[in-house]
């Protein structure tokens, strides 16, 4: 076995000999390479020390294979004694010493790791993996950048084509604040390997530190795209993207873009635009169009503290622009969701409501869940296709704000991912509702991938059918996007809803034909009836009764009736009758079924009923205390009452 050492300051360091003391260096080298009393032949010529070792040691390949397997499975505690035994029998194997050093490093034995890596380098001074590992230990664990640089530099000398050593040199220079030098090494590493995510991250960080946010963003996107294992570097890259977005979001450019766009739309629509914070809205941002709220201004609300505020507001401004373009063309549509649509949803998912009831959830919670699912699904039906056109427009019109757009959309995508993959949610959500929601989320992920080359689709774990449906919907969007006419987004919206059998839960109505109360386009819901007069309330109550004579069973009312039957179970007939006539007094002025709370019945302490809940108690109290008067109430809930009794059998 022959080993060649070039006499350099690094060689003196490797054998811990004072630089220039060649006699001691050769003596120590001779001693080190003496194996089983077999002296090596050591010669020095023209700055090279040659070591010939007369003994040849053979590696136990079976044990070595076992060692590698343990390391690959991160079983380092089991691997360590195997490595120690192998090194004791084959000390001349450089790679074996390196593996032992890596195991010691993983186990937190830093000093032992350094000793093992020095052994690895003494047996093979060109073992670049050992050199890089030594550099990492001194930089990371010992905070000794100067020594780390010596090993990294040696690695670059040993293998000038090794991009990893160049990358690590750049990283350490970056830590030291020597940004120009760091960039130089990162660029050299990038030329050798343009697919190494660590180098892209390094270039992103250097650019960010130099306040070149455009370059920083492009590099961090490349780092994220190339990072297939989603390791610690992935998280660091996301954090850096957020830091870049924060800087851009707070810049004068962002403020100017927002102000200019709002002023442009005020001229286009002839109405002022107000922007305000609101912590109570169910989405991160929403727009209330002036025409839908009887105002002379458009109102945009957003949740403060949310990533990418500028993007959120720009997004809602674009909603205004698309709506106005469609209005000018005479085909602006309103997305309406009425009582009938809500009840149709409740009826279709009656079995799901019963499933929740069997799980022990109270009736009020079940009604709340059903309403939330109805509104949430309709939000996706309405927003997803329109949002694609909006994000395309923002991406093309505001290239300087793309970091903000990326972080904002990424945050929303991850929230959507959690909502359709988290086990607790999946276990308790109806499979059809969950699947439709996932499809809309995947459509957004497909668009995100096209804009930013970031693929998160597999994270949603779609079934083959879900993947095929989402891809089909997105392809249809592609057919519209290149030559979209004003208002065509509504056509796409309707097509998708038809494909997914969701069109029965809403109706698109031409604004020019819409004669009823306007609705909020982000959350389909009717305005509170409290804004009307008592006469209006009576009229609406009568219309409600008429419309529901032939309606399907209403699961929400049924569940409220279950609660009422349980409440009245231990009450006397007189107590029930007193409550019945108290509710009847309230009902003189009409009861708004859609009112979420505010109805208080004095004979039921602590009551704060919604409209439907009060109607359920109204019906049940009379059914139990004065059934002969039920026809006078004209409440179309006979089937709900019969079903409710099945849940409360003695």
């Amino acid at each position: 076995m022959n080993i060649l050492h070039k006499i350099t300051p690094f060689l003196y360091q490797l054998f811990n000999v004072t630089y220039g003391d060649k006699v001691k260096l050769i003596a120590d080298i001779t001693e080190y390479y003496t194996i089983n009393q077999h002296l090596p032949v050591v010669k020095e010529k023209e700055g090279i020390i040659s070591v010939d070792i007369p003994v040849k040691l053979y590696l136990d390949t079976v044990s070595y294979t076992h060692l590698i397997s343990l390391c690959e499975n991160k079983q380092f505690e089991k691997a360590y004694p195997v490595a120690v035994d192998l090194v004791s029998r084959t000390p001349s194997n450089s790679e074996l010493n390196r593996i032992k050093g890596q195991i010691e490093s993983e186990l937190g034995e830093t000093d032992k790791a350094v000793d093992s890596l020095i052994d690895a380098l003494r047996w093979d001074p060109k073992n670049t993996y050992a050199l890089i590992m030594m550099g990492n230990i001194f930089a990371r664990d010992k905070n000794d950048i100067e020594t780390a640089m010596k090993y990294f530099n040696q690695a670059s000398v040993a293998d000038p084509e090794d991009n990893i050593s160049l990358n690590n040199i750049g990283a350490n220079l970056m830590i030291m604040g020597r940004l120009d030098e760091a960039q130089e090494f990162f660029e050299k590493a990038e030329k050798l390997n343009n697919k190494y995510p660590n180098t892209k991250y390094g270039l992103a960080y250097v650019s960010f530190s130099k306040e070149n946010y455009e370059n920083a963003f492009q590099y961090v996107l490349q780092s994220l795209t190339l990072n297939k294992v989603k390791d610690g570097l992935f998280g660091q890259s996301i954090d850096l993207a957020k830091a870049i977005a924060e800087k851009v979001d707070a810049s004068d450019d962002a403020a100017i873009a927002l102000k200019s766009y709002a002023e442009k739309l005020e001229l286009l629509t002839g109405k002022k635009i107000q922007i305000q914070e609101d912590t109570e809205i169910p989405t991160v941002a929403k727009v209330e169009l002036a025409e839908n709220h009887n105002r002379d201004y458009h109102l945009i609300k957003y949740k403060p503290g949310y990533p990418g505020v500028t993007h959120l507001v720009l997004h809602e401004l674009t909603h205004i622009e698309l709506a106005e373009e469609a209005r000018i063309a005479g085909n602006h549509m309103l997305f309406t969701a009425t009582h009938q649509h809500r009840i149709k949803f409740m009826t279709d998912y009656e079995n799901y409501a019963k499933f929740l009831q069997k799980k022990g959830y109270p009736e009020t919670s079940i009604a709340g869940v059903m309403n939330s699912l109805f509104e949430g699904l309709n939000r996706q039906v309405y927003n997803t296709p329109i949002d694609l056109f909006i994000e395309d427009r923002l991406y093309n019109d505001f290239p300087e704000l793309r970091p903000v757009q990326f972080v904002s959309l990424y945050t929303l995508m991850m929230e959507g991912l959690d909502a359709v993959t988290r086990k607790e949610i999946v276990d308790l959500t109806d499979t059809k509702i969950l699947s439709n929601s996932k499809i809309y989320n995947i459509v957004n992920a497909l668009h995100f991938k096209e804009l930013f080359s970031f693929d998160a689709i597999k994270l949603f774990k779609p079934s083959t059918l879900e993947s095929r449906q989402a891809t089909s919907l997105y392809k249809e969007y592609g057919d519209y996007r290149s030559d979209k006419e004003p208002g065509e987004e509504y056509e796409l919206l309707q097509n998708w809803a038809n494909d997914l059998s969701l069109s029965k839960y809403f109706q698109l109505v031409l604004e020019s034909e819409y004669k009823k109360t306007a609705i909020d386009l982000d959350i389909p819901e009717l305005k509170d009836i409290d804004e009307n007069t008592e006469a209006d309330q009576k009229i609406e109550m009568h219309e409600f009764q008429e419309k529901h004579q032939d309606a399907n069973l209403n699961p929400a009312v049924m569940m409220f009736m279950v609660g009422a039957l349980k409440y009245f179970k231990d009450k006397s007939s007189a107590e029930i009758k007193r409550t019945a006539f108290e509710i009847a007094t309230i009902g003189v002025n009409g009861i708004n079924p859609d009112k979420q709370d505010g109805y208080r019945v004095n004979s039921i302490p602590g009551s704060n009923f919604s409209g439907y809940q009060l109607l359920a108690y109204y019906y049940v109290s009379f059914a139990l205390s004065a059934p002969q008067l039920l026809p006078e109430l004209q409440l179309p809930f006979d089937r709900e009452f019969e079903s409710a009794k099945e849940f409360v059998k003695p």
Side-chain angles (χ1 to χ4, degrees):
M1 181 178 185
N2 179 260
I3 301 172
L4 298 176
H5 286 295
K6 188 174 181 180
I7 301 176
T8 63
F10 181 76
L11 181 62
Y12 283 95
Q13 178 184 337
L14 197 59
F15 282 89
N16 197 25
V17 175
T18 302
Y19 179 65
D21 192 347
K22 190 183 297 182
V23 174
K24 187 170 190 318
L25 177 63
I26 292 176
D28 285 2
I29 286 176
T30 301
E31 180 182 353
Y32 181 79
Y33 292 110
T34 299
I35 300 177
N36 300 329
Q37 298 182 346
H38 293 281
L39 292 174
V41 177
V42 180
K43 297 178 181 179
E44 185 265 324
K45 183 179 180 181
E46 297 179 355
I48 301 292
I49 293 179
S50 172
V51 183
D52 285 312
I53 302 169
V55 180
K56 188 170 184 179
L57 302 175
Y58 294 94
L59 179 66
D60 180 350
T61 55
V62 175
S63 296
Y64 182 76
T65 302
H66 177 53
L67 174 65
I68 297 301
S69 176
L70 291 171
C71 290
E72 287 176 346
N73 290 289
K74 300 188 181 301
Q75 295 179 289
F76 298 113
E77 291 186 359
K78 291 183 179 180
Y80 188 56
V82 179
V84 170
D85 175 61
L86 278 170
V87 168
S88 69
R89 290 189 280 141
T90 323
S92 59
N93 188 298
S94 175
E95 187 61 10
L96 192 55
N97 280 284
R98 186 200 67 79
I99 292 171
K100 178 171 173 283
Q102 181 177 351
I103 294 170
E104 288 163 337
S105 178
E106 294 285 353
L107 295 176
E109 298 286 350
T110 304
D111 291 335
K112 288 184 178 180
V114 168
D115 291 339
S116 294
L117 293 170
I118 287 175
D119 285 332
L121 292 170
R122 286 176 175 177
W123 288 104
D124 180 5
K126 292 186 177 182
N127 188 329
T128 53
Y129 290 112
L131 288 165
I132 291 170
M133 192 176 298
M134 281 287 278
N136 286 337
I137 289 175
F138 276 97
R140 181 190 64 221
D141 300 326
K142 296 181 177 293
N143 197 28
D144 184 349
I145 303 299
E146 184 178 352
T147 301
M149 288 300 299
K150 292 178 181 178
Y151 285 100
F152 288 138
N153 280 322
Q154 193 63 28
S156 66
V157 171
D159 186 356
E161 300 299 308
D162 183 8
N163 68 290
I164 295 178
S165 61
L166 293 172
N167 177 85
N168 287 346
I169 293 171
N172 283 282
L173 287 167
M174 184 176 70
I175 294 170
M176 296 166 67
R178 293 155 62 177
L179 298 179
D180 290 335
E181 295 169 275
Q183 182 173 342
E184 181 182 344
F185 277 95
F186 283 135
E187 288 174 350
K188 287 180 180 178
E190 184 184 30
K191 287 180 181 178
L192 292 171
N193 185 351
N194 193 37
K195 304 296 183 182
Y196 190 48
N198 301 60
T199 300
K200 300 294 187 180
Y201 175 82
L203 287 166
Y205 192 91
V206 169
S207 297
F208 174 75
S209 301
K210 292 183 175 183
E211 299 184 3
N212 187 339
Y213 302 128
E214 183 178 352
N215 276 359
F217 180 60
Q218 292 305 317
Y219 279 125
V220 85
L221 277 186
Q222 292 174 46
S223 177
L224 288 166
T225 303
L226 293 170
N227 193 321
K228 305 301 182 184
V229 295
K230 304 294 187 289
D231 56 8
L233 177 69
F234 181 87
Q236 292 175 350
S237 299
I238 288 293
D239 289 341
L240 182 55
K242 291 178 180 178
I244 296 167
E246 285 179 9
K247 292 292 186 181
V248 175
D249 205 15
S251 69
D252 291 340
D253 287 345
I256 292 170
L258 194 59
K259 184 174 183 294
S260 299
Y261 194 26
E263 289 174 348
K264 168 192 166 183
L265 294 180
E266 286 179 341
L267 288 174
L268 177 67
T269 64
K271 296 178 176 64
K272 290 291 184 181
I273 296 173
Q274 294 187 15
I275 301 170
Q276 68 181 36
E277 297 180 356
D278 191 333
T279 59
E280 302 300 320
I281 55 176
T283 54
V284 294
K286 62 177 290 189
V287 60
E288 295 178 357
L289 297 177
E291 294 81 2
N292 297 338
H293 290 268
N294 297 319
R295 300 190 187 115
D296 60 357
Y297 62 91
H298 304 296
L299 177 61
I300 291 175
K301 299 178 180 180
Y302 68 91
K303 285 186 177 178
Y306 213 83
V309 168
T310 299
H311 168 259
L312 296 176
V313 177
L314 285 173
H315 181 99
E316 300 307 322
L317 285 171
T318 313
H319 266 294
I320 297 175
E321 185 172 38
L322 288 178
E324 187 63 21
E325 289 171 353
R327 185 175 290 113
I328 292 171
N331 55 12
H332 176 50
M333 307 286 283
L334 297 180
F335 185 96
T336 66
T338 64
H339 297 301
Q340 287 78 13
H341 294 122
R342 191 179 298 266
I343 288 175
K344 175 59 178 172
F345 180 84
M346 300 290 184
T347 303
D348 286 350
Y349 292 99
E350 178 184 355
N351 288 335
Y352 174 59
K354 290 179 179 178
F355 162 77
L356 293 177
Q357 199 271 345
K358 290 178 182 178
K359 286 280 186 181
Y361 289 91
E363 294 78 18
T364 52
S365 295
I366 295 172
V369 167
M370 298 296 288
N371 279 318
S372 294
L373 289 172
F374 172 74
E375 292 167 359
L377 195 57
N378 266 348
R379 272 196 294 270
Q380 285 187 290
V381 170
Y382 174 78
N383 282 300
T384 303
I386 297 177
D387 284 355
L388 299 185
F389 292 110
I390 288 175
E391 294 307 330
D392 262 351
R393 189 169 293 192
L394 294 180
Y395 185 86
N396 293 320
D397 292 351
F398 301 97
E400 72 278 14
L401 299 181
R402 285 176 188 172
V404 185
Q405 183 183 22
F406 171 84
V407 168
S408 180
L409 292 180
Y410 175 82
T411 302
L412 294 172
M413 184 170 63
M414 290 300 103
E415 289 181 353
L417 174 67
D418 181 69
V420 296
T421 59
R422 182 148 49 96
K423 188 176 186 304
E424 309 92 271
I425 297 175
V426 172
D427 289 346
L428 282 176
T429 305
D430 178 84
T431 54
K432 181 60 177 175
I433 295 174
L434 187 71
S435 181
N436 281 328
S437 180
K438 185 182 290 189
I439 289 168
Y440 278 113
N441 274 286
I442 295 170
V443 168
N444 284 326
L446 286 165
H447 192 232
F448 191 75
K449 178 183 178 182
E450 184 173 347
L451 294 183
F452 298 107
S453 301
F454 184 99
D455 190 352
I457 298 166
K458 290 182 180 179
L459 298 177
F460 288 89
K461 301 176 182 177
S463 67
T464 302
L465 179 60
E466 289 167 346
S467 180
R468 188 183 302 125
Q469 286 180 305
T471 302
S472 175
L473 297 184
Y474 191 68
K475 182 180 181 301
E476 186 178 9
Y477 161 70
D479 295 336
Y480 276 85
R481 73 194 301 188
S482 59
D483 57 353
K484 174 189 172 298
E485 296 292 333
E488 280 193 329
E489 58 267 30
Y490 305 119
E491 184 178 316
L492 183 64
L493 184 162
Q494 187 68 63
N495 291 346
W496 287 7
N498 292 342
D499 290 344
L500 298 176
S501 301
L502 296 174
S503 54
K504 52 190 170 182
Y505 305 133
F506 70 91
Q507 183 178 5
L508 285 173
V509 183
L510 267 175
E511 183 181 51
S512 57
E513 299 176 359
Y514 191 63
K515 303 299 183 182
K516 300 178 182 178
T517 306
I519 62 167
D520 183 328
L521 293 185
D522 266 334
I523 313 170
E525 59 184 9
L526 294 177
K527 294 173 64 179
D528 281 346
I529 206 167
D530 289 341
E531 298 176 4
N532 300 336
T533 63
E534 288 185 5
D536 291 334
Q537 292 185 45
K538 291 178 181 178
I539 292 171
E540 297 235 7
M541 182 65 179
H542 175 71
E543 290 178 351
F544 165 77
Q545 292 169 330
E546 289 294 317
K547 290 175 182 176
H548 283 72
Q549 289 298 328
D550 298 317
N552 294 320
L553 182 141
N554 187 328
V557 172
M558 182 193 73
M559 289 301 173
F560 285 133
M561 285 183 168
V562 170
L565 286 168
K566 290 179 179 178
Y567 175 79
F568 290 128
K569 186 175 182 181
D570 298 323
K571 304 295 181 184
S572 67
S573 178
E575 289 174 315
I576 298 173
K577 185 172 290 186
R578 183 165 63 252
T579 297
F581 283 94
E582 183 184 349
I583 298 176
T585 302
I586 297 172
V588 169
N589 292 324
I591 298 171
N592 173 18
D594 265 1
K595 189 172 180 180
Q596 297 302 306
D597 57 31
Y599 286 114
R600 289 174 173 79
V601 181
N602 294 330
S603 58
I604 302 179
S607 58
N608 183 20
F609 289 161
S610 66
Y612 270 119
Q613 190 174 13
L614 185 65
L615 289 172
Y617 274 72
Y618 192 8
Y619 187 103
V620 171
S621 60
F622 270 91
L624 296 177
S625 65
Q628 70 279 8
L629 297 179
L630 273 179
E632 302 297 324
L633 304 183
Q634 299 183 38
L635 291 176
F637 297 139
D638 296 348
R639 285 171 293 179
E640 285 80 357
F641 183 63
E642 293 302 316
S643 297
K645 288 191 293 184
E646 294 296 317
F647 284 90
V648 197
K649 287 184 176 180

